[in-house]
Amino acid sequence: MKASEIKKVACCGTGGIGSGLATIFAVRGYKVNVFSIRNSSLKDAEERIRGNLEFFLNKEILSASEMEESLSRLSYTKDLGKAVRDVQFVQEQFAEKYEVKADMLEEIEAHAAEDTIIASSTSGLSISEIQRSAQYPERIVGGHPYEPTHLIPLIEVVKGKLTSD
């Protein structure tokens, strides 16, 4: 898949990294599905994202209409299948444990299209190990952002042994 074909993304995990990435994706014009298993986490993410956008508005990085357009591109769900079903790119930020990432990756792959790119945010785990149990390991990369994510739109991309070029 070419980057120009990506129109909709999913941010799976709603902490500072997930909320920051969702902010940047929305500002850049992508439709964004934000996923968490808890309503309280989704509410926190929505508040954090709005706060990020208000910061941009106050610093005159965005106009009021651009902020509203960005907010309109965001949707929030506790249903992982719904979050990843019609997206071309998934950015996951789950706990830094192989078993957690393997379980979530299995569920993501059960619902996402075969060519959906999946980026795993990890600062210390091996992407090759993460992708080992994947059905389509060639589409999995490491994608770990710098923080604060909404202010430093830079992501380290790491290829695993099975990642396609």
Side-chain angles (χ1 to χ4, degrees):
M1 176 172 301
K2 296 177 185 175
S4 62
E5 296 174 34
I6 298 173
K7 305 293 182 215
K8 192 169 187 180
V9 303
C11 286
C12 298
T14 57
I17 290 175
S19 297
L21 287 169
T23 302
I24 293 299
F25 286 135
V27 167
R28 302 288 179 164
Y30 296 98
K31 292 184 178 183
V32 184
N33 292 338
V34 179
F35 165 80
S36 180
I37 59 173
R38 293 188 310 270
N39 282 329
S40 60
S41 296
L42 288 173
K43 185 177 186 313
D44 290 346
E46 190 169 1
E47 289 173 8
R48 198 176 296 116
I49 292 166
R50 180 175 286 281
N52 293 343
L53 293 170
E54 287 173 351
F55 174 83
F56 290 154
L57 177 66
N58 292 336
K59 296 293 183 184
E60 298 180 357
I61 296 168
L62 292 179
S63 67
S65 64
E66 289 169 324
M67 178 180 158
E68 290 306 315
E69 287 171 17
S70 295
L71 287 168
S72 75
R73 293 184 190 107
L74 294 151
S75 63
Y76 301 85
T77 184
K78 287 179 28 178
D79 181 338
L80 184 59
K82 182 179 176 183
V84 304
R85 190 169 292 115
D86 62 344
V87 304
Q88 297 81 39
F89 183 85
V90 174
Q91 176 69 50
E92 72 82 5
Q93 298 74 231
F94 297 117
E96 290 266 325
K97 295 180 182 179
Y98 286 118
E99 59 275 7
V100 171
K101 289 193 180 282
D103 289 348
M104 296 311 295
L105 184 58
E106 182 179 352
E107 192 168 345
I108 289 169
E109 284 195 306
H111 298 286
E114 291 178 17
D115 62 344
T116 299
I117 299 167
I118 302 170
S120 179
S121 177
T122 178
S123 59
L125 300 180
S126 163
I127 294 303
S128 296
E129 182 65 26
I130 290 170
Q131 70 185 175
R132 193 169 66 146
S133 63
Q135 185 177 4
Y136 302 102
E138 67 277 2
R139 65 180 173 167
I140 299 170
V141 298
H144 190 67
Y146 289 72
E147 294 188 71
T149 309
H150 68 290
L151 297 178
I152 306 172
L154 182 64
I155 295 180
E156 173 188 31
V157 179
V158 178
K159 183 178 175 181
K161 289 180 182 175
L162 301 174
T163 305
S164 71
D165 288 334

